Each structure stands twice: as C-alpha cells, then as structure tokens.
Amino acid sequence: MENAAPVILLVDDDPGVLETYRRSFAQFEPLLAHDGVAAQTILSAFAVDVVVCDLKMPGMKGLDLMKWAREHCQPNPEWIVVSGEATLDATIQALKLGAFDFICKPILSPMQLRTAVTNAARHKRLLAEVAERRALEVALRESERQVRQLVENIADLAWSATADGRIDFYNRRWYEYTGTTFEQMEGWGWRSVHHPALLEQVVERWTRALATGEPFEMEFPLRRADGVFRWFLTRVRPLRDADGRITRWFGTNTDIDEARAARSERERLIADLRQSVEARDEFLAIAAHELRTPLTALQLQLEGTAHLIGRTSNPGNDKLLGKLAVASRQVTHLGTLVNGLLDVARCIQGRLIIETEEVDLAEIVRAVVERCGPQAQSAGCALIVDAEKEVKGRGDRTRLDQVVSNLVGNSIKYGAGQPIRTTLHAVEGVALLRVEDRGIGIRPEDTARLFARFARAVSSNSYGGLGLGLYIARQIVEAHGGTIDVASEVGQGSTFTVRIPLVGPPAERKREASS
Ligand code: ADP
C-alpha cells in the first residue's frame, strides 16, 4: 500500500492539455476525461486517489463535479483544481470544498503539477492510515468492553494487571467476595486479603512470574468479607502483543474450598484403606505362619494315635480308626487352606520362590488327575486326560503341580457332576494346558477379576473356599513367564488355559543369557 502508485484522473476539455498531462504522468498511467460526465463515469468505476480537474469546462463545471464526488465517492479523492483568472471565485470555493491544492493556467511547469499530485497522494494515504488506526482503536475498545463485561459476569474472581504486575482491574465477584474497594486493592493492595502464613510464598512466586513471563498457578486461601478464609485455585496468564512483549496479565481465582476438602477426605480414606490392607496382609502372614506349626503337630499326633491303635486289638478299634481318618482328612484340608494363606502372604511380599529343575509336565498332569480320582468320583465327574506322552521343560515341580491341582480341583468343585477334560500339548516351545468342564460357568463380568486375591463368583453358602487358588496359580504361572486365562459361559462350563514356556522362567533365562 505504502509504495503503490496513486490512481490519478486528469480532467480537461482541451485535448492538447490532456495530452500534455498524459505525457507528464506517463509513469502513473493516468485516467483521462475530457468532460465532467466522462469523469463521473470513471470516478464511479475506479478508486481514484487524486483528481486534477479543470474548473472551466463546457457542460458540467469542475466545481459541480467536485460536489458530485463528495456525495458519491467513498473515499473522496484528493482534488487539485486548475484555474485561470476568470475562475478565481470558483477556485476559492473549490478550496472551501476541501480541494488539496490549485494550479494556475497556463501550466508552465509540469514539475510543479507533479509535485502537487505527489503531495496530494501522500496526504490521501496518510488520511487513510489515520482513519484505519482510528477504526482499529474503536474496534479494540469495543472488544475490551466486551471482554470486561464477560469477566464481570463470570463466577470466578478475576482481575488484570499491567505488565509490571500492578493490578488495575478487579471484577464484581472479587469485590463481593472480599468486601473491599478498588482503592484498598489497587496495585499490590491485594496482599491484605491473603493468609499471612502463605503471603510471602505468594508474593515470591508472583514476583518470579513477572520476572520470567511464565504463567502462574497456585492454590492459596483468600479472606472473605466476613473474615473466613476459603481456598482458591489461582491461574494467571500473560497477554502478549504481536512482538511477544507482555502487555498485561490476566488472573482468575476459582473457589476450590469444597473440592479441596473432598480431596483431602478422599486422600485420608485412601491412606486409611491402604493401612487396613497392609494390616490385613501382615495379619495374614503372621496368622498363616502361626497356624502351620500346631497343625503339623496335630497331624503327627493323629498319625501316631492311629499307629498306636493299630497295634492293639481292642474291639471298636475300626470305629476309632475310621474317626481318626476323618479327623486326619479335615486336618489335611485345614493344612491346604493355611498353606494357601501362606502363599498369598509370600506373593504379596514378593517372596514366592520358584525352584526350577527339569520337569515333565505330562507326568505332573497324570499324577494330579490320579490323585483327584476319589474326589471326582464322589462328585460324579469323569476325568478324561488327553496329554502327550512327555512334555519336558524347566519349572518348579511342586508349584506346577499346585497349578494343575487347583484347576482340576475347581473343575470338580464347580463341574456340576459333568465330565472334565484335561489336555496338554507342546506347541512351539510352549506347554499348552487346558482344563475344560461343563459345569456352572462364570458370568462375563466376573472372569477378569477371578485371578485377584480373595475373588469369588459364587456364594460361600453354596461353595466353600477362600478365593485364593486362582490368584496363586496366576502368580506361579507368571513367575514361569507364562499366562493363564479363562473362557466361560454361564451354565455351559469353563475352560482354563495355561501357557508356559518350556525353556524355564524368565529369571533363569536371564541368568543363563548373562553367564
Ligand atoms: P475358590 O475356589 O476357593 O473360591 P479360586 O481362586 O480357585 O478360589 O477360584 C475363584 C473363583 O473362581 C471361585 O470362587 C469360583 O467362583 C470361580 N471358579 C474357579 N474355577 C471355576 C470353574 N471351573 N467353574 C466355575 N467357576 C469357577
């Protein structure tokens, strides 16, 4: 815009003069009009910057053209009128109408005319710039007014500060809440509504934000009009101009008193809960440990008593031995439960130890199924095994036995007297074990949580148990670098699938790799 050539219109009824004009302004490619009507047409079609106009023309006079343009051209061009002695009055009128300059005829110096035109064009440009700036200022003031109105009506306390941090505006909510006046608050007056315990820290952080130009965010209490302090989250952002210079700061204070109270209550509850869980786990570990010793002693006592009775031949011995066998079974069951608790305690403390050796999983599966035979029989479940002859790999024999026992035991327990199928295959270096029943099944929403501690999906009135077997099984399988999952449908049965790498647990593999 600054360097754009001005659009010039030259109006004169004398063709000779027009030709001279054209040559003088050749570089601007001027528009030419030989009378007022032709000039009107051009002015209607083009945004002309400067008109050089003869005042004395047949038909429409130069002055009439000027008056017409004042009404019809937006923005009005700058006018340079060309006049002779006969048109002195008209020249004065033209100047009164706002003509920028006048040139006397005959024009002896084209240079003089060019200078007048250049000055007029510059004048026009300056006027346009001033008008543009003024319009921008008006728009800015209007948008500031709108923003302020918005800020006045938000629920938060809000304020703005100059670039050096002097607060010069607070919204209505600020005054309502603090019960203060602008005079009390202006500049750094806000300090009087801060809690003394935090004021120093607030001032320090605000000063640092001002120095670095970084946004500021902090929680602190502000005093309400009645003297009560409530907690606020304060966020302050710098506003920058096009060059990135900070022009103002804008801040809001959001009341978070209730949210904060709720948050600390939640944190307290979580801490309490965590403490309770820790206390429970500790109790679990101690109780399981303490229970095991007398249980072992009791089992030994029962076995010893049975042995003693067996050596005498008193009538009624068989009855006694039968009762001892029942007691012994109960003690064994109790021992299994206590061992489960002990394992859980070990898992929680990360002390589940896996002792690896060369094992044949097929052998383990067959042994477990055989051991479970009597239990399956009394539940009315047929046990079917489909295992490869040998599935050898590295693992903890006792722990893997525990996993298979748990899965087969559960299938019998929840198998509704239907056949149970256990399959075992080696597939690409992984042992794939499946225990499949056609029992009560598991609801989809329960399947994911069954591997957690104490998780059960049945009522304890119908089925006994602590909900630890699957948790321990998963810990053991994962310690071997494997996975365990379940697919089930209520009333149709469940299939538990275990995948264990035959090359041994990850810890052992790592050891081997580094040696
Ligand atoms: P427990 O059997 O002692 O409750 P587990 O950890 O072995 O503990 O099993 C957790 C829960 O998973 C059981 O309470 C039962 O709801 C469900 N569950 C396990 N195995 C089966 C299965 N084969 N069929 C149906 N539900 C099962």
Side-chain angles (χ1 to χ4, degrees):
M1 180 76 197
E2 178 77 6
N3 297 319
V7 180
I8 299 169
L9 169 63
L10 307 168
V11 192
D12 205 303
D13 59 315
D14 182 338
V17 173
L18 265 189
E19 181 51 26
T20 318
Y21 279 171
R22 197 186 56 73
R23 265 187 267 121
S24 306
F25 289 100
Q27 84 229 54
F28 294 118
E29 295 175 9
L31 301 161
L32 305 175
H34 54 82
D35 64 14
V37 177
Q40 272 181 326
T41 312
I42 292 173
L43 284 169
S44 304
F46 296 95
V48 174
D49 292 310
V50 182
V51 184
V52 178
C53 182
D54 187 15
L55 281 180
K56 190 168 156 243
M57 293 186 290
M60 182 181 253
K61 302 280 174 277
L63 209 55
D64 294 330
L65 182 62
M66 254 189 98
K67 285 180 188 158
W68 175 88
R70 256 163 63 121
E71 276 180 28
H72 294 89
C73 297
Q74 212 34 265
N76 197 8
E78 293 293 345
W79 290 77
I80 297 172
V81 291
V82 181
S83 60
E85 263 177 49
T87 50
L88 193 61
D89 275 356
T91 307
I92 292 168
Q93 276 190 55
L95 289 172
K96 278 187 182 164
L97 274 178
F100 179 75
D101 206 350
F102 71 97
I103 304 278
C104 290
K105 258 187 171 175
I107 301 167
L108 300 174
S109 155
M111 182 67 173
Q112 184 198 4
L113 182 61
R114 267 210 303 272
T115 308
V117 168
T118 311
N119 285 342
R122 191 174 302 142
H123 183 247
K124 168 109 193 315
R125 204 168 51 232
L126 284 176
L127 281 184
E129 278 171 16
V130 167
E132 197 178 335
R133 199 164 307 147
R134 210 165 278 159
L136 268 178
E137 274 167 17
V138 169
L140 193 67
R141 264 201 302 278
E142 174 56 16
S143 84
E144 267 177 8
R145 192 189 63 78
Q146 284 177 8
V147 169
R148 203 162 273 218
Q149 204 174 28
L150 202 76
V151 171
E152 279 295 2
N153 289 305
I154 59 174
D156 286 347
L157 316 191
W159 46 268
S160 66
T162 52
D164 61 357
R166 210 175 41 77
I167 300 188
D168 58 1
F169 164 77
Y170 291 95
N171 72 347
R172 203 175 18 233
R173 276 290 297 139
W174 174 279
Y175 294 119
E176 280 168 7
Y177 177 81
T178 58
T180 56
T181 62
F182 178 68
E183 288 66 35
Q184 292 168 323
M185 291 291 104
E186 197 188 359
W188 290 71
W190 49 266
R191 284 175 294 190
S192 63
V193 295
H194 274 251
H195 197 288
L198 276 173
L199 179 59
E200 201 179 318
Q201 205 183 327
V202 175
V203 171
E204 190 210 304
R205 294 215 18 210
W206 176 220
T207 313
R208 197 175 338 133
L210 290 173
T212 59
E214 293 285 313
F216 167 91
E217 193 165 315
M218 188 175 172
E219 289 181 12
F220 49 69
L222 290 174
R223 199 184 55 225
R224 203 165 58 186
D226 59 3
V228 170
F229 278 96
R230 288 179 69 84
W231 279 87
F232 283 81
L233 167 64
T234 295
R235 288 199 180 104
V236 191
R237 296 271 176 280
L239 307 178
R240 297 174 188 274
D241 64 14
D243 300 323
R245 270 190 303 268
I246 294 176
T247 51
R248 295 189 70 70
W249 292 84
F250 180 69
T252 53
N253 312 90
T254 309
D255 190 330
I256 51 160
D257 208 65
E258 270 146 39
R260 219 180 125 92
R263 190 172 69 198
S264 44
E265 176 61 9
R266 205 168 48 238
E267 278 165 5
R268 194 186 60 74
L269 284 174
I270 289 172
D272 278 2
L273 218 63
R274 205 162 276 151
Q275 220 172 8
S276 308
V277 169
E278 272 166 22
R280 184 202 65 186
D281 290 345
E282 201 181 325
F283 168 78
L284 201 73
I286 295 169
H289 191 76
E290 292 299 314
L291 282 170
R292 225 161 80 118
T293 320
L295 261 181
T296 315
L298 186 58
Q299 183 68 294
L300 285 175
Q301 285 296 326
L302 286 173
E303 280 167 16
T305 311
H307 185 69
L308 281 178
I309 292 172
R311 282 171 50 185
T312 62
S313 52
N314 294 334
N317 270 5
D318 286 349
K319 210 171 166 194
L320 271 178
L321 284 174
K323 284 187 185 298
L324 276 177
V326 172
S328 181
R329 272 203 301 280
Q330 293 303 325
V331 170
T332 308
H333 181 56
L334 207 55
T336 312
L337 291 177
V338 170
N339 280 340
L341 288 177
L342 210 57
D343 280 345
V344 172
R346 285 196 190 109
C347 291
I348 293 166
Q349 294 162 346
R351 289 197 294 112
L352 185 79
I353 295 165
I354 300 293
E355 286 173 1
T356 46
E357 57 183 319
E358 195 70 29
V359 289
D360 179 1
L361 265 160
E363 190 188 306
I364 293 176
V365 165
R366 276 191 285 270
V368 169
V369 170
E370 195 182 321
R371 212 169 50 233
C372 291
Q375 190 194 344
Q377 202 175 14
S378 59
C381 298
L383 291 180
I384 304 154
V385 183
D386 170 12
E388 277 177 29
K389 195 158 164 280
E390 254 183 13
V391 178
K392 283 193 170 167
R394 291 194 63 76
D396 185 320
R397 186 185 305 277
T398 317
R399 291 298 185 189
L400 290 174
D401 183 298
Q402 200 176 339
V403 172
V404 183
S405 299
N406 175 258
L407 296 182
V408 176
N410 275 351
S411 299
I412 297 171
K413 191 159 137 190
Y414 304 109
Q418 297 298 313
I420 294 155
R421 185 182 185 83
T422 305
T423 59
L424 175 72
H425 298 282
V427 184
E428 292 170 0
V430 174
L432 186 67
L433 168 75
R434 277 211 175 92
V435 181
E436 188 182 341
D437 66 56
R438 293 192 224 147
I440 60 170
I442 303 160
R443 286 176 306 180
E445 64 268 30
D446 289 329
T447 50
R449 63 178 189 92
L450 285 186
F451 297 94
R453 264 182 280 162
F454 305 109
R456 309 202 69 219
V458 285
S459 95
S460 48
N461 293 337
S462 319
Y463 298 92
L466 294 178
L468 294 176
L470 286 179
Y471 168 72
I472 297 166
R474 177 172 155 183
Q475 303 298 314
I476 295 171
V477 170
E478 287 182 353
H480 279 81
T483 58
I484 180 168
D485 52 60
V486 59
S488 185
E489 214 176 304
V490 174
Q492 300 297 311
S494 314
T495 301
F496 284 83
T497 305
V498 174
R499 290 179 178 83
I500 293 183
L502 292 167
V503 281
E508 194 179 61
R509 275 181 265 152
K510 221 159 114 188
R511 245 196 337 270
E512 271 174 16
S514 62
S515 64

